[in-house]
Amino acid sequence: MPKLSLGTAQFGMNYGITNNIGKIKKEEVKNILKLAKDLGISFLDTAQAYGESEELIGELTPEENTFRIISKLSSQANLPWTKIKINELENSFQKTLKNLKADSIDSYLIHNSNDLRRKDSHILINYLSEKKHKGFINRIGVSIYNTKDLDNILLDKIDLVQIPLSIYDQRLIKDGTIKQLVNDGILIHARSAFLQGLILKTSIEWPDFISNEFKNHHKSIEKLISSKGLTMLDISIYFLCQNIDLEAVLVGVTSMLELKEIAKVWHNKDRIKEKISDLDFNEFAWSNEKDLDPREWD
């Protein structure tokens, strides 16, 4: 079964289309991290691009925690990889370690897959491989939005791929991408489990830029799940937990209460299984990429 990974974008920025709270207050971040430790959450997912998220993790993480930290290399300008550029990367990485008050991190992800499609991308990979060889990072990864993001990329040095996956966004299951990555020995972390919170909102609360067809689809799924005495949170978590090809499922929260609710469902999945034996998750899938990809949202 996948492990839980806590996303921390909300620690340092106003992230998420349904986030009405904005950046989480410092004291609440401290409470969330303590609860995450007590719950045995495996991973913390962060990035320099997430405002002060790294610094808050470094400052507020409880002692004797077992978190495995994942951070990300910010998207690079399309300039040649020179010695100066590599020095900039090194300075950025050292800043991440300093922010996190860590000597090393579990995984370092390339935030923009285009950085691996450049003619000189081997220079970037060689740099990251050296960091891995010296023990500063355990795994090299890349974050993608769809299967096309993997086109013309050599994955022999990639250990981890972070993908979008939810009850509605099953694109990478249906096109065989997940199975292929697993067969190649690459680990997978699923993000966008709740589609930035949209799945947990009623259809009438969805923004106008989401198609009416998708809203109607969501409305019918809401009705079906409710008729079984379940919530959209129940079904979203259950769907992901059944995917044995995943190492981890990434969830974001804006409060300690939200994390408690997620953990409660996560640790009580058997009650869900009893109620959904007649459901076909294939019927939940939505195919319009403009509705599923945040880059297409207004």
Side-chain angles (χ1 to χ4, degrees), residues 182-223:
V182 171
N183 290 340
D184 290 341
I186 295 173
L187 296 165
I188 300 173
H189 286 200
R191 70 169 189 278
S192 300
F194 311 130
L195 204 58
Q196 291 196 16
L198 284 179
I199 293 174
L200 308 183
K201 297 288 187 180
T202 63
S203 55
I204 61 174
E205 296 177 278
W206 279 21
D208 291 340
F209 56 77
I210 301 295
S211 71
N212 288 329
E213 292 81 6
F214 192 17
K215 289 178 183 178
N216 289 333
H217 177 71
H218 180 57
K219 186 176 182 179
S220 66
I221 298 298
E222 282 183 293
K223 184 176 180 179

Side-chain angles (χ1 to χ4, degrees), residues 265-279:
V265 175
W266 188 273
H267 295 297
N268 292 277
K269 294 180 290 296
D270 288 344
R271 69 175 180 83
I272 302 173
K273 185 177 182 179
E274 298 169 357
K275 299 180 179 182
I276 62 167
S277 58
D278 60 333
L279 292 185

Side-chain angles (χ1 to χ4, degrees), residues 113-125:
S113 64
N114 288 327
D115 289 328
L116 289 175
R117 258 187 292 279
R118 295 166 49 172
K119 292 181 179 179
D120 56 0
S121 63
H122 64 281
I123 299 175
L124 172 60
I125 287 295

Side-chain angles (χ1 to χ4, degrees), residues 3 6 34-35 62 86 91 105 146 150 165 238 247 255 287 291:
K3 302 179 186 300
L6 178 63
K34 183 181 184 304
L35 177 60
I86 293 298
N91 290 337
I105 58 175
N146 54 41
L150 294 174
L165 184 65
Y238 185 84
E247 181 187 49
S255 69
S287 58
D291 286 327

Side-chain angles (χ1 to χ4, degrees), residues 227-254:
S227 72
K228 296 183 176 297
L230 297 172
T231 68
M232 294 302 289
L233 179 62
D234 290 331
I235 205 68
S236 294
I237 289 178
Y238 185 84
F239 168 75
L240 292 163
C241 285
Q242 302 315 298
N243 194 320
I244 61 173
D245 292 326
L246 303 177
E247 181 187 49
V249 173
L250 174 65
V251 298
V253 300
T254 59

Side-chain angles (χ1 to χ4, degrees), residues 25 44 92 95 115 142:
K25 294 184 183 301
L44 294 182
S92 177
K95 181 181 179 183
D115 289 328
V142 61

